Amino acid sequence: MQSLPEQDGPEQDAPESEASETESQDAVSRDAVSRDADPPGARRTPPVAYAVEVAEGELRLRIQVGPKSIPIAITPEQAGELGTALIGACVLHAEGRVPAAGPILRSDLPVLGWRTGVIREHSLAILLLDILGGPEIALQFQPATAISCGRSLLETGKTLQSATR
């Protein structure tokens, strides 16, 4: 994820009346050059970056649009909703589906592959899931929970397998 520069307050744009005639002419010249470089009908968008960070003990989403940096305080619940929605959007795009207009809240997560392992220093089992569209999700389990989850998946798989025969 890209790091974003700090910005303490909202960016203030200079009033148009303070811009000199030379600056206005330079801006017009730059616009003309950029219009000539783009094919007809092309839409230019400023570079955008984002990060979820901790500042002063609180979570926040920082959105960087061109030179403007916008920090937005979020709750842990909102961070979870945002993460789920972004992964859902990634999956829908990878599947080529175009959902109805409106917010993307969540999506089924098609698993393309999986791996298991151990985090030895914490005595945790780990399950890594490769999700359609590129995300990788790492789930950590206490040993008893890993065993229970494995048994449950095994039984569910057996049930589905016998139903398709």
Side-chain angles (χ1 to χ4, degrees):
M1 185 162 291
Q2 185 175 354
S3 293
L4 301 173
E6 282 291 322
Q7 183 169 327
D8 291 329
E11 185 175 287
Q12 297 290 326
D13 292 328
E16 287 184 33
S17 60
E18 292 180 17
S20 71
E21 188 174 330
T22 305
E23 288 172 339
S24 297
Q25 289 172 348
D26 288 345
V28 169
S29 297
R30 282 192 303 271
D31 287 345
V33 169
S34 64
R35 272 195 307 255
D36 293 340
D38 292 333
R43 199 168 109 186
R44 300 192 67 202
T45 57
V48 176
Y50 56 90
V52 177
E53 59 190 25
V54 177
E56 300 169 12
E58 300 292 325
L59 287 174
R60 67 181 180 189
L61 172 64
R62 180 177 293 276
I63 302 172
Q64 181 87 28
V65 181
K68 190 172 213 169
S69 181
I70 307 159
I72 303 167
I74 59 174
T75 65
E77 294 79 15
Q78 289 172 315
E81 291 168 5
L82 176 63
T84 303
L86 289 171
I87 293 171
C90 182
V91 168
L92 291 171
H93 177 75
E95 289 178 335
R97 290 194 294 166
V98 178
I104 297 173
L105 301 175
R106 62 176 303 248
S107 174
D108 293 331
L109 304 177
V111 175
L112 300 177
W114 57 272
R115 296 173 305 289
T116 62
V118 172
I119 302 174
R120 295 198 191 287
E121 62 269 15
H122 300 292
S123 299
L124 296 173
I126 188 165
L127 172 62
L128 297 169
L129 303 174
D130 297 319
I131 306 298
L132 179 67
E136 179 182 88
I137 298 175
L139 304 174
Q140 299 176 9
F141 296 87
Q142 295 290 332
T145 305
I147 291 168
S148 175
C149 179
R151 285 184 181 145
S152 181
L153 278 170
L154 179 63
E155 290 305 314
T156 301
K158 286 179 180 178
T159 301
L160 288 171
Q161 191 174 38
S162 65
T164 58
R165 290 182 182 174

